[in-house]
Amino acid sequence: MPLGLSLRDIDRLEELISARRRIRRGEPLFRAGDRFEAIYAIRLGFLKSSVMSSDGREQVTNFHMSGEMIGMDGIANEVHSCDVIALEDTEVCVIPYERILAACSEVEDYNLHFQKLLSREIVRQHGLMLLLGSMHAEERLAAFLLNLSQRFESRGYSRSEFVLRMTRAEIGSYLGLKLETVSRVLSRFSHDQLIAVNQKHVQIIDTEGLRAIVSGQSTVTESI
Amino acid sequence: MPLGLSLRDIDRLEELISARRRIRRGEPLFRAGDRFEAIYAIRLGFLKSSVMSSDGREQVTNFHMSGEMIGMDGIANEVHSCDVIALEDTEVCVIPYERILAACSEVEDYNLHFQKLLSREIVRQHGLMLLLGSMHAEERLAAFLLNLSQRFESRGYSRSEFVLRMTRAEIGSYLGLKLETVSRVLSRFSHDQLIAVNQKHVQIIDTEGLRAIVSGQSTVTESI
DNA sequence: CGACGGGTTGATCCAATTCAATAATCGTGG
DNA sequence: CCACGATTATTGAATTGGATCAACCCGTCG
């Protein structure tokens, strides 16, 4: 469900790009409070967005991969409202917001396109809120794995085997769980033959089983 | 933090408005799946947005009051992705999206303005995710009450005394809690002289106390 | 090699849910 | 206007899912 731009769309925006930028693993693309100047299209790599509460609790709000656009949070107040950190060496295209605005005014099509991008982010977050507000640990993790799987697939990678670039703690923060819970649930999934886990490497064995978990059917689906 | 448009901004958009529409308490402004045609500016009233999971769990994603804009979720797929239901008799201005698009293309200022509206919604949801992902029941409710208080104030109503238009179950859904928990925490706040509650009527007595709770200081702030 | 960050797993604890009973309020139609 | 059923709210007791605390393992890097 949560998508950025298609390759074709990225081509369309190519003319707006001012530069490329490389961010090394662990380094920020930008931080909350930084002046908002550009939107970024990810060429290659993997990042996380997170917000901080006044008392220092971190909440990961999203993970990003190639083809996705980031930075739109900054439009609201001309200042970024979250941190974006590279979880592996990453390369992004810098698209100055001024150019986007100008292009949107000139071409109604661009305008619609960009508004759709923002709206899609809103819709995506609705899904997240449903997850955070009403799902159990197992459901959250199953949904998370299926989402990653689907995104990898749509990028031409394997949908059944991939590497988690983030730590258990980061997954936990994203899903509103503690890292121990993430670890436990992954172990349980592994034990139940739904996935195979080896540290950061994950293999999805039973997609349907995971789907069943997401939609509420408890693990031990009793046959009535 | 979460705002719609100022009155001045609404005036600016006045020319785009095609009609007014009244929705009676309990009736939908639109439902998930409805074709997206317009954005709505609330003249008067109170509504909730909610999404439904495949297995029927409802998650309230927002409450809306006068001056706020709703419907932007529909831009993404030309179809609304959530239900919006009036919690009291409500009147909205209907602003056809086509006109908004046209206006945005013509006036770069409108364009920026509308994009800010969308971005603000994204930023607001980040705050919600922080709440849902990492706060305790008491912190969630304190944050919720302070937020309502602030919004009422900025509309010229009392910031210390207001009526909750939604049920405990709806508050619970919004905050990721059960209705009993909401009721209990409100009772506790009442007992601790932070608020006075009488069914839907709430009076904020100790704003600072509520703020302290939101930022993690436990209720029983021990003096060290 | 030792230290350190990341991961797993077990034992215990606790905040919030669930189940349940009761009360207050609302809306509707006679 | 009042009575009645339905919805909404409160409160208590028991339960539980996930958090917390803690020990340990593994791989990597200086």
Side-chain angles (χ1 to χ4, degrees):
Chain A
M1 331 162 174
L3 295 175
L5 288 176
S6 72
L7 290 181
R8 183 178 132 272
D9 294 327
I10 287 186
D11 288 346
R12 282 171 89 195
L13 289 172
E14 204 110 293
E15 64 206 64
L16 303 178
I17 294 166
S18 80
R20 302 246 170 102
R21 194 176 141 195
R22 300 178 144 281
I23 311 102
R24 280 210 309 272
R25 184 185 135 91
E27 296 297 312
L29 173 57
F30 56 77
R31 288 199 173 275
D34 286 359
R35 177 154 191 80
F36 166 66
E37 269 148 5
I39 302 286
Y40 306 90
I42 305 168
R43 298 218 106 231
L44 204 92
F46 203 89
L47 312 93
K48 67 168 174 178
S49 291
S50 59
V51 291
M52 212 61 159
S53 67
S54 48
D55 58 319
R57 278 174 287 198
E58 184 194 33
Q59 171 74 28
V60 172
T61 55
N62 206 0
F63 296 109
H64 310 277
M65 43 204 289
S66 58
E68 293 175 349
M69 306 277 286
I70 34 185
M72 288 91 73
D73 61 284
I75 298 172
N77 307 303
E78 285 125 57
V79 157
H80 283 291
S81 67
C82 60
D83 294 351
V84 173
I85 312 273
L87 296 181
E88 63 176 21
D89 292 358
T90 291
E91 190 180 331
V92 299
C93 299
V94 181
I95 315 174
Y97 183 58
E98 288 193 356
R99 291 199 204 166
I100 292 184
L101 261 189
C104 284
S105 298
E106 280 163 32
V107 189
E108 188 163 323
D109 224 40
Y110 273 31
N111 197 7
L112 175 59
H113 198 273
F114 194 68
Q115 291 186 10
K116 280 193 179 186
L117 187 69
L118 295 170
S119 177
R120 229 175 275 142
E121 179 64 13
I122 291 170
V123 173
R124 188 192 67 79
Q125 292 190 347
H126 284 167
L128 234 299
M129 285 171 57
L130 185 63
L131 181 144
L132 288 170
S134 69
M135 287 169 77
H136 288 188
E138 297 203 340
E139 303 173 304
R140 295 182 196 198
L141 260 147
F144 174 70
L145 291 172
L146 289 172
N147 175 269
L148 275 188
S149 165
Q150 186 255 304
R151 283 156 79 190
F152 280 121
E153 180 176 29
S154 79
R155 254 148 270 257
Y157 300 113
S158 167
R159 69 184 191 84
S160 63
E161 224 171 326
F162 46 83
V163 172
L164 300 174
R165 262 64 182 240
M166 69 297 277
T167 67
R168 302 290 191 259
E170 285 161 342
I171 298 174
S173 170
Y174 181 60
L175 299 177
L177 302 169
K178 292 291 145 178
L179 69 96
E180 294 96 328
T181 305
V182 172
S183 182
R184 268 185 247 277
V185 172
L186 289 180
S187 298
R188 214 177 304 152
F189 283 176
S190 175
H191 173 267
D192 295 349
Q193 305 283 321
L194 295 163
I195 62 175
V197 209
N198 190 306
Q199 301 282 118
K200 304 238 176 204
H201 186 270
V202 172
Q203 190 190 347
I204 309 265
I205 295 169
D206 183 356
T207 307
E208 279 315 312
L210 290 174
R211 275 210 199 98
I213 288 177
V214 174
S215 44
Q217 281 93 303
S218 88
T219 324
V220 193
T221 313
E222 62 270 52
S223 38
I224 303 172
Chain B
M1 334 163 171
L3 296 173
L5 286 177
S6 72
L7 291 180
R8 183 177 132 272
D9 295 326
I10 288 186
D11 288 345
R12 282 170 92 194
L13 289 172
E14 205 110 292
E15 64 207 63
L16 302 178
I17 294 167
S18 80
R20 302 246 170 104
R21 192 174 141 197
R22 301 180 144 280
I23 310 103
R24 278 209 311 271
R25 185 184 133 92
E27 296 297 313
L29 172 57
F30 55 77
R31 287 198 173 277
D34 286 1
R35 181 156 186 75
F36 166 67
E37 268 149 6
I39 302 285
Y40 305 91
I42 305 167
R43 297 219 110 231
L44 205 92
F46 203 89
L47 311 94
K48 66 167 175 179
S49 291
S50 60
V51 290
M52 211 66 156
S53 67
S54 48
D55 58 318
R57 278 174 289 195
E58 184 195 33
Q59 171 75 28
V60 172
T61 55
N62 206 0
F63 296 109
H64 311 278
M65 44 204 288
S66 58
E68 293 175 351
M69 306 278 286
I70 34 185
M72 288 90 73
D73 62 285
I75 298 171
N77 307 305
E78 285 125 57
V79 157
H80 284 291
S81 67
C82 61
D83 294 351
V84 173
I85 313 274
L87 296 182
E88 64 177 20
D89 292 359
T90 291
E91 189 180 331
V92 298
C93 298
V94 181
I95 314 175
Y97 183 59
E98 289 193 355
R99 291 198 203 168
I100 292 185
L101 261 189
C104 284
S105 298
E106 279 163 33
V107 189
E108 189 165 320
D109 224 40
Y110 274 31
N111 196 10
L112 175 59
H113 198 275
F114 194 67
Q115 291 186 9
K116 281 192 179 188
L117 188 70
L118 295 171
S119 177
R120 231 174 273 140
E121 179 65 13
I122 292 170
V123 173
R124 189 193 66 79
Q125 292 189 349
H126 283 168
L128 233 301
M129 285 170 58
L130 186 63
L131 181 144
L132 289 169
S134 70
M135 286 169 76
H136 287 188
E138 297 204 339
E139 303 173 305
R140 294 182 197 198
L141 260 146
F144 174 71
L145 291 171
L146 288 173
N147 175 268
L148 275 187
S149 166
Q150 186 256 305
R151 284 156 78 189
F152 280 121
E153 181 177 29
S154 78
R155 257 147 268 258
Y157 300 112
S158 167
R159 71 185 189 84
S160 63
E161 224 171 326
F162 47 83
V163 173
L164 300 174
R165 262 66 181 237
M166 69 296 278
T167 67
R168 301 289 191 261
E170 285 161 341
I171 297 173
S173 170
Y174 181 60
L175 299 178
L177 302 170
K178 295 289 147 180
L179 69 96
E180 295 95 328
T181 306
V182 173
S183 183
R184 269 184 248 278
V185 173
L186 289 180
S187 298
R188 215 175 306 153
F189 283 177
S190 175
H191 173 268
D192 295 351
Q193 305 283 322
L194 294 164
I195 62 174
V197 209
N198 190 307
Q199 300 282 118
K200 304 236 174 204
H201 186 270
V202 172
Q203 189 189 347
I204 309 263
I205 296 169
D206 183 357
T207 307
E208 278 316 310
L210 290 174
R211 272 208 203 103
I213 288 177
V214 174
S215 44
Q217 281 93 304
S218 88
T219 323
V220 194
T221 312
E222 62 269 52
S223 39
I224 304 171

